[in-house]
């Protein structure tokens, strides 16, 4: 048993956490003459260590996840979802979201395709909620920073929000709140994308292309997120963070959620900010609520989603997600002392 614990500790610290990289970046900065006790040293160290670490993890994870995705083209995903009904279908829809695109704007075209194919809208909304919030990449990246317990709880509660949100929308019978062009597309039969069976080499090429494409799209947000994280980590007074997002403010979760909604970023860009806020004393629930709000309810994705659904359904979607995220935030705050 101790052997397995030691292996896991090594994976957590050296492979996911990359403590060797932390030490290497620090040694390089000292050699070029920076004072390791200065804010400048700490800020530059935070920036380069996090950018390199997240980039390595991002590219590695996207490659492997894209390889898995090659087995789940949209047409096959629709067939899988179509086999299930009721709560089981919502759960499968939410789970399928964990192996599909990495941001909400990328998930919406698939949501439109699934809906136009005649899948229940509750199932497609379970997919739409879980896809940007709890992909496999976010699970491993969260593990590298916050540890396995917090990462697993984040994913489990994200999936719960997706299943409950999709189920509630299904019960409300809101099919008439979907824009007409989506139903018309189904009639015209122009949504299905036929993807032939791929060889292993073709899947590897697909994974490589997806990695390059996603990296180009995501890397600017990583730089922005790590830059903001470095500023918070080194120059924002801890008492400010604690007073706004710490235990002294009972409305910290609500505030973090509302701040996160208009921001557009993927999970990889928000994690460095979350890491910096956590080191400054912000409550875990407030941080995770901020991350969930950014990845699920960003303003650009809502504008895009509005083209596919009518205002009433959009308001209900935002309302359900917001309430769910806030509940999860307070849940994490309640359990913070037990899971850290």
């Amino acid at each position: 048993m101790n052997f397995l614990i030691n292996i896991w500790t090594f994976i957590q610290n050296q492979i996911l956490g990359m403590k060797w990289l932390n030490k290497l970046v620090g040694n390089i900065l000292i050699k070029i003459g920076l004072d390791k006790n200065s804010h400048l040293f700490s800020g530059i160290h935070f920036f380069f260590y996090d950018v390199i670490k997240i980039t390595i993890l991002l590219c590695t994870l996207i490659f492997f996840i894209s390889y898995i995705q090659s087995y789940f083209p949209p047409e096959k995903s629709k067939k899988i979802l179509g086999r299930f009904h009721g709560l089981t279908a919502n759960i499968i829809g939410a789970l399928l979201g964990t192996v599909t695109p990495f941001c909400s704007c990328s998930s919406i075209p698939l949501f439109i395709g699934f809906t136009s194919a005649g899948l229940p809208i509750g199932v497609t909304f379970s997919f739409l909620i879980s896809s940007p919030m709890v992909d496999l990449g976010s699970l491993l990246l969260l593990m590298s920073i916050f540890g396995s317990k917090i990462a697993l709880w984040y994913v489990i509660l994200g999936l719960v929000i997706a299943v409950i949100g999709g189920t509630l929308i299904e019960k409300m019978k809101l099919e008439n709140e979907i824009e007409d062009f989506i139903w018309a597309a189904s009639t015209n039969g122009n949504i299905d994308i036929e993807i032939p069976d791929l060889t292993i080499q073709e899947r590897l090429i697909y994974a490589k292309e997806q990695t390059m494409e996603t990296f180009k799209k995501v890397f600017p947000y990583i730089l922005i997120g790590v830059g903001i994280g470095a500023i918070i980590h080194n120059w924002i007074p801890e008492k400010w963070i604690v007073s706004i997002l710490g235990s002294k403010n009972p409305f910290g979760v609500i505030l973090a959620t509302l701040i996160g909604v208009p921001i557009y970023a993927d999970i990889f860009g928000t994690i460095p900010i979350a890491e910096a806020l956590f080191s400054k004393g912000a409550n875990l629930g407030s941080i995770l609520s901020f991350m969930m709000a950014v990845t699920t309810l960003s303003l650009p994705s809502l504008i895009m989603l509005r083209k596919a659904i009518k205002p009433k359904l959009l308001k209900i979607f935002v309302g359900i997600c917001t309430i769910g995220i806030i509940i999860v935030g307070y849940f994490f705050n309640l359990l913070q002392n037990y899971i850290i």
Side-chain angles (χ1 to χ4, degrees), residues 187-203:
T187 304
N188 295 333
N190 59 356
I191 286 294
D192 290 345
I193 302 171
E194 293 290 350
I195 297 182
D197 288 337
L198 302 176
T199 63
I200 291 177
Q201 185 176 4
E202 288 171 333
R203 293 185 193 283

Side-chain angles (χ1 to χ4, degrees), residues 89-102:
N90 289 90
I91 295 172
I92 298 297
L95 290 173
L96 196 60
T98 63
V99 292
T100 46
F102 303 96

Side-chain angles (χ1 to χ4, degrees), residues 90-91 94-95 98 126 129-131 133-136 138-140 142-143 147-165 267 288 292 324-325 327-329 331-332 335 339:
N90 289 90
I91 295 172
L95 290 173
T98 63
S126 289
I129 295 170
S130 75
S131 178
M133 187 188 292
V134 289
D135 59 74
L136 291 176
S138 66
L139 170 63
L140 292 181
L142 279 168
M143 288 173 72
S148 55
K149 285 183 182 177
I150 293 175
L152 287 173
W153 272 108
Y154 176 88
V155 171
I156 290 171
L157 292 176
L159 289 173
V160 168
I161 291 177
V163 172
I164 292 176
I267 190 76
L288 297 181
M292 286 180 164
I325 290 170
I327 291 173
V328 167
F331 180 78
F332 267 110
L335 294 183
I339 59 178

